[in-house]
Amino acid sequence: MSIEVVNLSHSYKEGTPFEKQVLFEINLSIGEGEFVGIIGPTRSGKTTLAQHFNALHIPRRGKVLIDGLDTKDKRADLVKIRHRVGYVFQNPEYQLFAPTVGEDIAFGPLNQKLSREEVEGRVREAMAQVGLDYRALRDRDIFALSGGQKRRAAIAGVLACKPGVLVLDDITAGLDPRGREEILSVIKELHHRRNLTTIFISNSMDEVAAMAERIIVIDRGRVIMDDPTRKVFARFKELRDIGLELPEVTVLIDSLRTAGFNLPAGVLNISEALTSISAALRELEARK
Amino acid sequence: MHKLIETNGLTYYYRKGTKDEVKALDSVNMAVYKGEMLSITGQNGSGKSTLARHFNALLKPGQGSILIKGLSTANKDSIPEIRKIIGMVFQNPDNQLVSSIVEEDIAFGPENLGLPQAEIIDRVDWALETLNLEDLRREPPHNLSEGQKQQVAIAGVLAMKPECIVLDEPTAHLDPRGRREVLESAIRLNREEGITIVLLTHFMSEVVHCDRMLVMEGGAVKMDGSPEKVFRQSAEIKSAGLDFPVASQVAEGLRREGFKIKPDIVRTEELIDCLCQLKS
Amino acid sequence: MELTKNITLGVYLPGKSSIHNLDPRTKIITATIMIVLLLISRSYAAFALSALFTGFLITLSGVPAGYAMRGLKPMLPVLAIMWVFQLFLFKAPDTTVYFHWWIFEATAAGLHMGNLIILRVLFLFTVTTFLTLTTSVVSLTDGLENLLKPLRAIGIPSQELVMTLVIALRFVLILAEELEKIIKAQMARGVAFDRGNFIQKTRKIFPVFLPLFIGAFKRAEELIVAMDARSYTGGKGRTKMKTLHMGRVDLGAAAVMIVYGGMLIYIIISTEPMI
């Protein structure tokens, strides 16, 4: 599925003394099967923009097209759009409400008016996708799960709607390192196996660097960069100026470059860092 | 060194006596020394938060004891004194700010202590200044970024002039800049104001800036020492579900490639220094 | 999806007008007097004077009149129904009958009764909204706490009551945001809140309240722990950073109120009540 955003602007509390414009003439398009990261300081408008993708916000100025379908169009079936574009909120476990894991995950498919068997199949499949044991956990009290399990259950609830696009809004916040790793590998797997268009909003530059192929940088409601990941992180000075911190490896490599090492810009992960530092050190040794 | 907090066989059960009883702390023996910056890390559910809540008597020991400057938290009469010594900052700033104006919120603690008006004003000014929040003093908290809100929460505790501030995952929900600002504040309070800091965190990039670290697993303290010493024990770190700091991962990789990298590197600056020495 | 947009009650609009600068106690007492006077007003002339005075206050404060009245919008249908009920169902002897159908009678008495109720609700709402629009929560509660202090003598924990109010007000906004998040999350999973008949709509609301209450309890619990950690043990032994001062503006306000109150009471006594 593809998403097209044309001249989108948005204001909160329009028509009151508290009115505040949060998005300014946004233009972008996201193609089928892409893995796009959205980064930006807090309150830059990331979430507001992303909530236009599944028609939780309807544009007043500009438009948003989902597979060519205008969300502003009176005839557009918004419920259908919301099923096609799955949205996982920040701290999604706070929004669980059904007594058992299975019932909560079934909520979306039931809204799609599917048959009992189909719903059950969806629940089973979604639980498998996020690594929750169907037989052991289906009837488990939702509040008896651990924090990380609850979050995976919440993601399963969205996957059960069989979306073509998955929007993930800061889904690792508050998790411990192991929990983070588990969730991220689930997301990677889904993207690779089902070619799911994935939009990944995150506060952790290390995660975005490791996950996304392309990054959109939002600052004060405007798109200021939209490029392949490596190219974006090579512009580290601008990123720092708007208040973003770079991945730690990128900082390391950058400092070494300043210290006179012959290293490439835009190194994104530890193995790349190792290869390039080793090469630079060998070169130095050879010269000596 | 002088012990500010000391636990002895500290054990705590949630829902004690029911069938859902959980042993959250299992005979913990640890100490916090005056003037140090200590981090406590470990997976969710490892007991770090439960332990921290004993430090200012929000929880009472099930078994064993905890002493704050010699005062037992089990003694009800000591609690007001203990809460003056130990301040506490929590994960979600929205749930700990009481007032709808920044300076009023910072005054809340001193007001509770029944201080004279002039003293309260002095302390609020001092706390605002120390955390560089003067510009925000009349703002309502909902106009602030999450990082700024957390700074206000720290200022509110600071205004009570505690000897020790316990920060319970203060950066878990912050963006990178907010995270850095909160960490820098904690370091500054420790180095410049001499306040003992206990920092609970999942971020190894924060742990490496502390003097000492405790690793908790299953309600017990599994490791205790300087970050350099603790991150040397790679098998234990992995079993506790923790990451390694980026610098030590790179250093380890380079060592395996046969380069002479000095041992115990945990901070980025140390690695840079070391590599620059190799170069010259 | 924006739930918080139409909430004006309890919202503070910062400003520098003389109304904003009044001591909160002056404002609370003034608002109370205005409300009492409205409740004893029964003539159109009295309401006309109140309308003029309220309009004067709003102009003086610089609050956009449209915004001050915005919160009424969701109430309009209810008000209209109330008015119709009074018009047809209020019974009085010796009154003009405008219109008669089956057992329903639209009478002059009913018309006036309907008008009276609508006017009272409108004024009550406008005065309280105006009070919160021009007074920050902090000074509102400081004023209340100060005014209620004498009640401690007869054993009423006024400080604790006010603290409860402070926290309740802070939570209204937080809960509204939380509610918006939960509704959005359920819309994202295919609930159409804007569709279906009344019963279907009501049924959709239930799954919203469970997470809302769980969330609210969790937050409340965390707040209590945080207050505890900051040595809060109730009002006893607490001191305050700010003391309240009555100034020249407050004196002026008192004079204005005496003139207005005197005129209004004269009108109430001397004019014919509408019903």
Side-chain angles (χ1 to χ4, degrees):
Chain A
M1 287 186 75
S2 67
I3 295 175
E4 192 95 28
V5 178
V6 187
N7 281 330
L8 175 67
S9 295
H10 185 81
S11 299
Y12 276 123
K13 306 217 173 189
E14 213 160 17
T16 78
F18 298 100
E19 176 168 335
K20 193 172 178 255
Q21 188 165 358
V22 285
L23 294 179
F24 298 82
E25 312 243 321
I26 305 256
N27 285 293
L28 54 89
S29 70
I30 294 169
E32 168 104 36
E34 272 198 269
F35 197 120
V36 181
I38 299 184
I39 60 175
T42 9
R43 295 174 175 233
S44 53
K46 296 171 289 191
T47 296
T48 311
L49 170 64
Q51 288 184 353
H52 278 90
F53 297 164
N54 71 338
L56 283 177
H57 287 301
I58 307 294
R60 214 165 280 163
R61 281 156 293 159
K63 58 183 173 179
V64 175
L65 305 170
I66 310 297
D67 261 352
L69 212 66
D70 191 341
T71 59
K72 216 167 24 181
D73 191 337
K74 287 271 176 300
R75 288 157 303 171
D77 185 350
L78 298 184
V79 172
K80 213 173 202 168
I81 289 179
R82 289 182 192 134
H83 279 304
R84 300 290 289 130
V85 182
Y87 198 111
V88 182
F89 288 78
Q90 215 171 26
N91 297 319
E93 63 275 20
Y94 295 160
Q95 285 131 21
L96 299 171
F97 58 88
T100 68
V101 177
E103 281 173 83
D104 201 279
I105 297 173
F107 181 72
L110 282 176
N111 282 325
Q112 286 173 306
K113 310 249 159 25
L114 301 175
S115 71
R116 272 271 147 215
E117 299 77 61
E118 260 179 297
V119 170
E120 213 39 54
R122 292 274 189 98
V123 171
R124 190 193 304 259
E125 193 187 341
M127 286 181 76
Q129 281 169 340
V130 298
L132 290 177
D133 186 345
Y134 175 77
R135 253 192 270 156
L137 296 176
R138 189 198 174 279
D139 296 314
R140 183 73 65 83
D141 178 357
I142 208 141
F143 297 103
L145 299 183
S146 76
Q149 282 178 320
K150 270 192 219 163
R151 195 163 294 192
R152 275 186 276 163
I155 296 174
V158 172
L159 291 175
C161 301
K162 288 237 170 172
V165 178
L166 197 55
V167 184
L168 305 159
D169 195 345
D170 209 5
I171 49 162
T172 58
L175 293 180
D176 56 32
R178 191 174 288 169
R180 249 178 277 163
E181 211 171 285
E182 282 170 1
I183 293 267
L184 292 179
S185 70
V186 165
I187 299 304
K188 240 184 210 158
E189 178 92 1
L190 276 170
H191 175 66
H192 286 309
R193 233 204 255 150
R194 291 194 29 211
N195 196 31
L196 209 56
T197 309
T198 309
I199 296 161
F200 187 80
I201 305 171
S202 178
N203 273 327
S204 160
M205 298 305 124
D206 293 272
E207 278 172 18
V208 181
M211 304 282 291
E213 299 150 0
R214 165 185 160 201
I215 291 183
I216 296 170
V217 185
I218 310 273
D219 183 33
R220 279 167 290 172
R222 294 178 174 86
V223 173
I224 58 162
M225 293 181 212
D226 180 355
D227 273 312
T229 305
R230 200 174 300 278
K231 215 169 148 193
V232 166
F233 282 118
R235 295 164 70 179
F236 50 86
K237 284 213 178 67
E238 290 159 75
L239 291 176
R240 214 175 264 163
D241 284 346
I242 64 163
L244 291 173
E245 305 280 310
L246 297 172
E248 265 188 276
V249 246
T250 315
V251 174
L252 171 70
I253 298 294
D254 178 41
S255 313
L256 289 174
R257 272 161 61 94
T258 329
F261 280 89
N262 179 22
L263 296 167
V267 166
L268 295 177
N269 56 47
I270 290 179
S271 68
E272 282 178 27
L274 271 177
T275 330
S276 53
I277 297 175
S278 305
L281 287 175
R282 292 235 160 76
E283 193 188 306
L284 281 169
E285 272 171 8
R287 235 186 282 162
K288 275 182 199 167
Chain B
M1 245 205 295
H2 184 61
K3 280 178 186 166
L4 197 61
I5 299 173
E6 187 175 13
T7 73
N8 234 312
L10 181 62
T11 303
Y12 187 82
Y13 301 88
Y14 281 111
R15 295 179 288 276
K16 193 173 169 63
T18 70
K19 67 177 171 48
D20 299 326
E21 182 178 291
V22 180
K23 201 182 209 176
L25 289 179
D26 189 0
S27 22
V28 171
N29 295 311
M30 57 82 68
V32 178
Y33 297 93
K34 190 158 177 48
E36 74 172 335
M37 184 156 172
L38 171 71
S39 81
I40 304 180
T41 184
Q43 279 187 281
N44 287 336
S46 61
K48 49 188 191 314
S49 203
T50 310
L51 176 61
R53 278 165 196 230
H54 279 85
F55 293 167
N56 74 341
L58 291 171
L59 295 176
K60 310 275 148 61
Q63 283 153 30
S65 67
I66 171 163
L67 296 177
I68 317 297
K69 280 182 95 178
L71 300 169
S72 164
T73 62
N75 181 358
K76 237 185 168 169
D77 298 331
S78 308
I79 291 178
E81 190 56 33
I82 289 171
R83 297 209 170 134
K84 266 191 236 171
I85 302 171
I86 312 282
M88 192 132 184
V89 175
F90 300 89
Q91 197 178 101
N92 187 340
D94 272 329
N95 299 350
Q96 51 186 319
L97 300 182
V98 179
S99 179
S100 42
I101 298 286
V102 166
E103 61 172 354
E104 299 271 346
D105 190 84
I106 296 173
F108 179 74
E111 288 177 341
N112 290 336
L113 297 179
L115 298 171
Q117 195 183 12
E119 170 85 19
I120 297 178
I121 294 171
D122 280 349
R123 286 191 178 198
V124 170
D125 288 346
W126 171 71
L128 284 166
E129 194 185 322
T130 310
L131 288 161
N132 296 325
L133 295 170
E134 286 119 318
D135 295 345
L136 304 176
R137 72 183 302 154
R138 285 183 217 289
E139 291 286 325
H142 63 86
N143 279 358
L144 273 50
S145 73
E146 294 301 300
Q148 288 170 327
K149 281 188 211 168
Q150 198 58 281
Q151 303 268 49
V152 172
I154 296 174
V157 169
L158 184 67
M160 298 176 75
K161 300 218 166 163
E163 288 181 45
C164 169
I165 298 181
V166 180
L167 303 131
D168 186 353
E169 289 188 46
T171 59
H173 291 283
L174 304 187
D175 67 353
R177 174 178 276 190
R179 224 148 58 205
R180 189 180 43 133
E181 286 167 352
V182 167
L183 178 69
E184 281 171 359
S185 296
I187 294 174
R188 203 169 56 241
L189 292 179
N190 180 253
R191 309 275 142 89
E192 286 166 25
E193 307 293 334
I195 293 169
T196 309
I197 298 284
V198 179
L199 174 67
L200 277 62
T201 182
H202 285 144
F203 295 101
M204 298 309 128
S205 51
E206 294 170 6
V207 170
V208 297
H209 291 287
C210 294
D211 306 316
R212 189 162 68 97
M213 67 186 282
L214 297 183
V215 177
M216 295 197 65
E217 203 183 334
V221 174
K222 279 284 147 71
M223 283 183 268
D224 176 355
S226 65
E228 287 83 356
K229 198 181 126 203
V230 169
F231 285 115
R232 219 184 281 159
Q233 296 158 273
S234 29
E236 285 88 342
I237 289 284
K238 271 182 207 137
S239 98
L242 301 180
D243 279 339
F244 288 92
V246 167
S248 60
Q249 290 183 50
V250 175
E252 180 56 32
L254 290 173
R255 250 173 249 133
R256 248 184 268 132
E257 293 277 325
F259 295 105
K260 265 197 230 126
I261 307 288
K262 77 169 201 207
D264 298 340
I265 284 182
V266 291
R267 283 176 284 267
T268 309
E269 308 85 69
E270 294 166 346
L271 180 61
I272 293 168
D273 281 351
C274 174
L275 290 174
C276 286
Q277 274 167 21
L278 273 185
K279 181 170 161 257
S280 54
Chain C
M1 256 312 291
E2 251 189 292
L3 281 179
T4 48
K5 192 165 146 182
N6 283 327
I7 300 178
T8 49
L9 188 65
V11 174
Y12 172 53
L13 188 61
K16 289 192 166 40
S17 74
S18 38
I19 303 268
H20 284 88
N21 288 333
L22 284 173
D23 185 291
R25 287 170 296 183
T26 313
K27 282 190 268 191
I28 295 168
I29 294 171
T30 310
T32 316
I33 294 174
M34 282 177 76
I35 288 168
V36 171
L37 287 177
L38 281 166
L39 291 180
I40 58 169
S41 295
R42 298 191 75 109
S43 68
Y44 288 110
F47 281 109
L49 178 67
S50 301
L52 272 176
F53 186 64
T54 315
F56 162 70
L57 291 181
I58 293 179
T59 318
L60 197 64
S61 71
V63 172
Y67 186 67
M69 310 297 283
R70 187 189 191 98
L72 280 171
K73 227 162 90 186
M75 290 165 62
L76 287 179
V78 183
L79 288 178
I81 293 170
M82 269 167 68
W83 188 80
V84 170
F85 263 78
Q86 291 301 330
L87 178 63
F88 284 102
L89 297 177
F90 186 76
K91 293 275 186 282
D94 313 322
T95 176
T96 329
V97 176
Y98 294 135
F99 174 78
H100 187 105
W101 180 72
W102 194 31
I103 55 164
F104 298 108
E105 268 181 357
T107 63
L111 175 71
H112 294 311
M113 197 59 195
N115 289 350
L116 180 66
I117 286 175
I118 301 290
L119 283 168
R120 277 186 183 163
V121 173
L122 281 180
F123 273 105
L124 210 64
F125 184 84
T126 312
V127 170
T128 41
T129 307
F130 184 62
L131 177 68
T132 61
L133 272 173
T134 55
T135 320
S136 73
V137 173
V138 172
S139 50
L140 202 60
T141 48
D142 280 350
L144 261 182
E145 198 174 316
N146 197 286
L147 288 171
L148 296 179
K149 218 178 223 166
L151 293 181
R152 283 195 90 80
I154 54 166
I156 295 174
S158 55
Q159 273 188 303
E160 284 81 351
L161 286 175
V162 173
M163 180 57 79
T164 315
L165 182 71
V166 176
I167 289 164
L169 283 174
R170 237 186 70 70
F171 264 57
V172 169
L173 259 188
I174 291 179
L175 283 183
E177 280 169 14
E178 197 101 335
L179 183 65
E180 193 173 310
K181 264 189 231 161
I182 294 167
I183 289 183
K184 273 183 181 169
Q186 298 195 359
M187 280 167 74
R189 285 163 77 186
V191 184
F193 280 100
D194 37 5
R195 273 195 225 156
N197 59 34
F198 182 72
I199 294 172
Q200 285 168 324
K201 272 185 181 165
T202 316
R203 268 184 47 198
K204 283 171 195 160
I205 289 294
F206 280 111
V208 172
F209 280 111
L210 186 69
L212 184 69
F213 283 136
I214 291 172
F217 277 123
K218 197 170 157 281
R219 277 167 179 276
E221 205 183 317
E222 278 178 34
L223 183 68
I224 291 167
V225 170
M227 286 171 71
D228 226 5
R230 281 162 84 187
S231 298
Y232 182 72
T233 50
K236 227 169 117 196
R238 265 196 115 221
T239 46
K240 296 288 285 178
M241 174 169 71
K242 285 210 177 118
T243 35
L244 298 168
H245 293 289
M246 295 265 188
R248 227 183 283 158
V249 228
D250 299 283
L251 220 62
V256 171
M257 269 315 281
I258 288 169
V259 175
Y260 161 71
M263 277 165 71
L264 189 59
I265 288 170
Y266 174 76
I267 291 178
I268 290 171
I269 295 168
S270 62
T271 55
E272 188 76 10
M274 56 177 88
I275 174 88

